[in-house]
Amino acid sequence: MAPEITPNTFLTTTGSLSDQKTTIFFISGNPGLIGYYHPFLSLLSKYLDEPKEQHSPNLPSFQIYGCSLSGFEIDEHRPLPSQNNGVDLDLDLEDQICFVQGKLAALMGDGTNGNGNGTVNAGTRQNVILIGHSVGAYIAMEILRRHHEENPESSFDIVGGAMLFPTVKDIAASPSGQKLTTLLSIIPRLAVVVSFLARLLTLLLPASLLRSVARLVMGDPPVHALDTTCAFLKSPRGVRQALYMAADEMRTITSDKWSDDVWGAASAREPIAKLFFYFGRNDHWVADQTRDEIVAVRGRKGGEVGPTMIVCEEGLPHAFCLKHSGVMARKVAGMIGQIVA
């Protein structure tokens, strides 16, 4: 496929066009705008295209893809997926999982259509590596589970994943989760109220003043993040969708929902993916206790098979895509090199 970088899509390749490629499928956090991640994905492509000795002598070529989550699309001259006959529909976490699963199947040309009726030979199956950020890591884990349980005859295998600052368990216990839960108890229709205020703000303020306010609130972010934020605020559905989805995350992301087969643990019957979990310290969306429990219960122990758990010692923030894309891209390139080695 030809490279394509738009406000709603990112697609590029490494190596020559004729190479057999492993697909890196990126899933964003909330708010689900791929524009926040354009520099990260571009740098990841660059680092994976460096001399192979830096990662693995057998490093394949890659197809790197990501798109905005449903309801967050901007600058589109067509009805949003969240609109049905003029009636707005708020999308919850389950809706987003199904949306992302459909995007992955379409990208890979999966002939199963989600019903397990494919006839692809094992020797011709394509390889996919998932990257999920924040709630995107939860979506990635659910796609892993459903792919393993529902699509054993699909046209591709998910061989690994990199979960970055993952909110995969007890998100409401995190500092920001506690604040949001309290706010939702006070203002149950928070998504509607805030989206109305954001709409009013964008209508009253000239574009230049809106941009100045956003820059001040965000602490002088890089241009890509400022452009994406302003487009997000002016989009017809983005703000409401982000808060509606966040509220559903508080209800949905609770206990560990996945078996050893999904985690690729030592007791799994057939480890299906080599996983890396990259946690932050003092992550406002992941409680320290939650992180430590995941590392203790699910992390690799000794020479056993299981996820590689990494706790950041460099002070990288949860929203790494704003100012730390280069550092994170280099780290993820190393993880991918280990997955395909």
Side-chain angles (χ1 to χ4, degrees):
M1 299 176 66
E4 177 185 17
I5 300 178
T6 73
N8 299 321
T9 306
F10 183 97
L11 175 63
T12 192
T13 60
T14 69
S16 67
L17 294 175
S18 60
D19 288 347
Q20 178 70 28
K21 298 185 184 299
T22 292
T23 294
I24 297 171
F25 188 88
F26 180 81
I27 308 167
S28 75
N30 184 7
L33 290 90
I34 199 65
Y36 284 120
Y37 302 93
H38 281 171
F40 165 72
L41 295 172
S42 296
L43 288 167
L44 177 61
S45 172
K46 173 188 173 183
Y47 296 148
L48 289 173
D49 216 13
E50 287 177 345
K52 293 182 178 180
E53 297 79 31
Q54 297 191 31
H55 301 294
S56 166
N58 299 315
L59 198 66
S61 296
F62 295 95
Q63 171 181 243
I64 302 174
Y65 176 85
C67 68
S68 295
L69 296 179
S70 188
F72 292 95
E73 298 90 341
I74 55 178
D75 294 337
E76 291 287 338
H77 303 292
R78 57 179 173 77
L80 296 176
S82 55
Q83 295 175 330
N84 183 16
N85 296 325
V87 179
D88 291 333
L89 299 176
D90 295 313
L91 302 175
D92 59 20
L93 192 50
E94 174 62 24
D95 294 325
Q96 297 292 356
I97 294 168
C98 293
F99 172 79
V100 173
Q101 193 173 23
K103 284 286 187 180
L104 176 59
L107 179 70
M108 303 308 296
D110 193 353
T112 66
N113 295 318
N115 57 23
N117 292 328
T119 57
V120 178
N121 295 325
T124 62
R125 290 160 74 96
Q126 304 170 80
N127 288 334
V128 171
I129 296 171
L130 301 177
I131 302 177
H133 174 224
S134 191
V135 70
Y138 180 93
I139 295 173
M141 291 293 285
E142 265 299 287
I143 288 177
L144 261 173
R145 180 186 69 79
R146 298 177 191 199
H147 185 78
H148 181 60
E149 295 176 358
E150 302 170 6
N151 297 334
E153 303 298 330
S154 72
S155 62
F156 61 92
D157 292 316
I158 300 176
V159 298
M163 312 303 172
L164 311 178
F165 302 90
T167 56
V168 293
K169 183 176 181 287
D170 294 334
I171 189 174
S174 67
S176 288
Q178 293 179 41
K179 293 175 184 176
L180 180 58
T181 301
T182 300
L183 197 56
L184 286 166
S185 68
I186 298 171
I187 312 174
R189 300 278 290 172
L190 182 66
V192 176
V193 172
V194 175
S195 63
F196 171 77
L197 294 176
R199 172 63 61 179
L200 193 62
L201 186 69
T202 58
L203 290 174
L204 294 177
L205 294 183
S208 59
L209 185 55
L210 176 67
R211 190 175 181 85
S212 297
V213 171
R215 180 186 291 111
L216 180 65
V217 172
M218 297 176 71
D220 197 21
V223 173
H224 84 278
L226 185 59
D227 289 345
T228 302
T229 298
C230 290
F232 168 60
L233 292 173
K234 291 187 286 188
S235 66
R237 298 284 301 149
V239 174
R240 175 168 169 168
Q241 176 56 55
L243 287 168
Y244 183 86
M245 181 176 165
D248 190 57
E249 291 170 36
M250 298 303 110
R251 296 186 293 266
T252 304
I253 303 177
T254 53
S255 59
D256 181 352
K257 296 178 170 66
W258 303 293
S259 67
D260 287 348
D261 285 355
V262 177
W263 285 96
S267 58
R269 294 164 297 175
E270 182 183 351
I272 60 171
K274 186 172 185 178
L275 302 181
F276 287 81
F277 283 75
Y278 192 93
F279 292 97
R281 287 207 179 274
N282 303 313
D283 187 336
H284 60 100
W285 283 113
V286 182
D288 289 349
Q289 181 179 348
T290 300
R291 177 200 66 212
D292 293 344
E293 287 176 355
I294 294 172
V295 172
V297 174
R298 289 299 190 178
R300 180 187 303 179
K301 301 174 182 66
E304 295 181 354
V305 175
T308 298
M309 302 288 182
I310 304 166
V311 180
C312 179
E313 300 294 348
E314 301 168 36
L316 296 182
H318 185 89
F320 72 86
C321 54
L322 298 184
K323 297 182 179 181
H324 299 84
S325 292
V327 176
M328 206 68 239
R330 181 70 75 181
K331 291 179 182 294
V332 173
M335 297 175 197
I336 292 172
Q338 293 183 57
I339 290 171
V340 301

